[in-house]
Amino acid sequence: MKLKSYEEFVNDPEGALLEIADRLLSESYPTDLYTAPIINRTMAINEAYFKLINSKNYTTAFSYLRLQFDNCLACYAGVLVKDPLALVNHFIAGKDLYRFKDARRNNLYEKYLAQEMNKEFPSVKVAYKFYNNFIHLSNEHFKNSSYMKNNQILINLFENDSCDSTTIEVHTKNLWIANKMIAQILINFWLADKKEQLEKIEQEVSKGRSKAEIVKSINEKYPNIKNFFERGKRL
């Protein structure tokens, strides 16, 4: 599947993952309960970012990249765990991600996720740390709340941020890169894992086991997923 170019992304940021979402969610499986929120949040952040850029609220817009890189880490968490369905079961119970352990028994803290993801996606750790500066009060906020005049620092309140086009493009490209990372993980891991699990189910069915039995066994092992099937979703 061809990922959107930077130009395509800028022209249609809300639709950046629609094709991938359509392919990923074309068949039902409980991991949808984890990937669908990631896709929705990704597209919502894209939309909000460009609205803020258009209203010249740059500092707030740039803070949204921290949320998008957070999405990257949450998406990558599935790659590290031994049992993705157990992660989904944990997630929909409303439990914090960092309380879940990966295949090597490490808690999924953001710092750890950034460290591990950086091995496959170099720069994500630096980007994640850098955009913390826009979430927490920092020098980035000082820059847009003051200016120099006659060698004096003056306060700038209730004015639109000032930002040059090159800086805006750098941040927008970083948003696009985050989207590409999410898209790659969704395709290369979550979609691949989903196909593998559905194939295993079909193999079980071909051996004479009913889908009702399979659903029951999944429900027993992952009780929080039970409502996924009860709401009309079926394997």
Side-chain angles (χ1 to χ4, degrees):
M1 183 181 294
K2 183 177 176 292
L3 301 179
K4 286 187 178 291
S5 67
Y6 175 69
E7 291 72 21
E8 289 172 322
F9 172 70
V10 171
N11 290 329
D12 184 23
E14 292 91 343
L17 296 180
L18 284 179
E19 184 183 351
I20 292 169
D22 183 61
R23 182 171 169 184
L24 184 67
L25 305 176
S26 61
E27 293 183 273
S28 294
Y29 191 67
T31 49
D32 298 346
L33 297 168
Y34 190 79
T35 55
I38 289 173
I39 292 169
N40 278 331
R41 187 183 183 212
T42 300
M43 293 192 293
I45 290 169
N46 291 343
E47 180 182 8
Y49 173 85
F50 282 97
K51 284 183 177 179
L52 289 167
I53 289 293
N54 291 335
S55 65
K56 298 184 180 180
N57 192 344
Y58 302 120
T59 306
T60 304
F62 300 154
S63 73
Y64 275 62
L65 274 89
R66 166 61 171 71
L67 301 179
Q68 204 66 291
F69 280 104
D70 181 74
N71 259 355
C72 291
L73 302 184
C75 196
Y76 192 75
V79 178
L80 300 176
V81 302
K82 185 177 181 180
D83 183 357
L85 266 188
L87 175 65
V88 175
N89 189 65
H90 176 91
F91 167 73
I92 63 177
K95 297 178 181 178
D96 294 320
L97 198 61
Y98 73 84
R99 294 186 183 279
F100 197 85
K101 295 182 183 292
D102 71 356
R104 294 187 293 176
R105 305 300 297 166
N106 292 302
N107 286 78
L108 299 177
Y109 287 104
E110 291 173 352
K111 185 177 180 180
Y112 174 72
L113 287 170
Q115 170 189 303
E116 294 303 302
M117 186 175 175
N118 201 71
K119 295 173 183 177
E120 188 173 348
F121 297 92
S123 80
V124 69
K125 187 177 179 181
V126 172
Y128 184 80
K129 184 176 180 180
F130 172 73
Y131 283 107
N132 277 337
N133 293 325
F134 291 91
I135 294 293
H136 308 296
L137 190 64
S138 70
N139 188 52
E140 298 297 335
H141 302 95
F142 165 73
K143 291 175 185 176
N144 285 305
S145 299
S146 61
Y147 63 97
M148 292 291 294
K149 186 176 181 179
N150 298 326
N151 292 322
Q152 283 187 307
I153 299 176
L154 301 179
I155 301 300
N156 174 30
L157 287 179
F158 312 120
E159 296 288 337
N160 286 334
D161 290 353
S162 60
C163 193
D164 61 85
S165 59
T166 301
T167 299
I168 294 170
E169 184 176 13
V170 167
H171 289 290
T172 304
K173 283 189 174 179
N174 285 341
L175 183 67
W176 170 61
I177 290 168
N179 272 260
K180 284 179 64 178
M181 290 178 183
I182 291 166
Q184 287 179 250
I185 299 165
L186 288 172
I187 294 168
N188 297 337
F189 175 75
W190 287 103
L191 180 59
D193 178 74
K194 182 176 186 175
K195 284 183 174 180
E196 182 181 339
Q197 299 310 317
L198 289 172
E199 285 172 5
K200 287 180 180 178
I201 289 169
E202 289 305 317
Q203 289 172 5
E204 289 292 308
V205 171
S206 68
K207 294 176 183 177
R209 193 178 181 197
S210 71
K211 285 191 176 181
E213 285 182 278
I214 296 170
V215 167
K216 183 180 179 181
S217 66
I218 292 175
N219 285 341
E220 289 174 349
K221 188 172 183 181
Y222 312 102
N224 297 321
I225 289 173
K226 183 178 180 181
N227 289 336
F228 177 79
F229 300 107
E230 290 181 344
R231 282 197 298 269
K233 294 281 188 180
R234 293 292 182 268
L235 291 175

